[in-house]
Amino acid sequence: MTGYENYNREAFFEAAIKLKLRGAEPVHTASLPDGLGYEVYLEKSLEALDGCDAICFLRGWEESKGALMEYGYAKSRGLPEIKL
């Protein structure tokens, strides 16, 4: 989310709508308030993954240091990936 206008929140919310239409209950950190600090956002996202059954990433996630960490954590837990 770092480096994107409004932290790319619109893309997260749009993806959440698409996932809900598929019957999923999306969880993301885009609704957290501004100003918490990078480490806090990453910690919250990894904590959120503990309650997830699958993962879904936005286009370009491979360029994000945080998303790469989330991906590795999710894969280490055996979570399948949902493609949009």
Side-chain angles (χ1 to χ4, degrees), residues 36-77:
L36 296 179
Y38 178 83
E39 293 79 17
V40 175
Y41 290 113
L42 184 59
E43 179 183 331
K44 297 290 184 189
S45 69
L46 295 177
E47 287 174 1
L49 284 172
D50 286 334
C52 293
D53 298 321
I55 55 173
C56 181
F57 290 95
L58 299 176
R59 181 178 301 131
W61 70 269
E62 300 93 341
E63 303 300 319
S64 166
K65 185 172 49 171
L68 288 169
M69 286 189 264
E70 292 165 345
Y71 180 81
Y73 183 74
K75 286 300 180 178
S76 75
R77 295 192 57 246

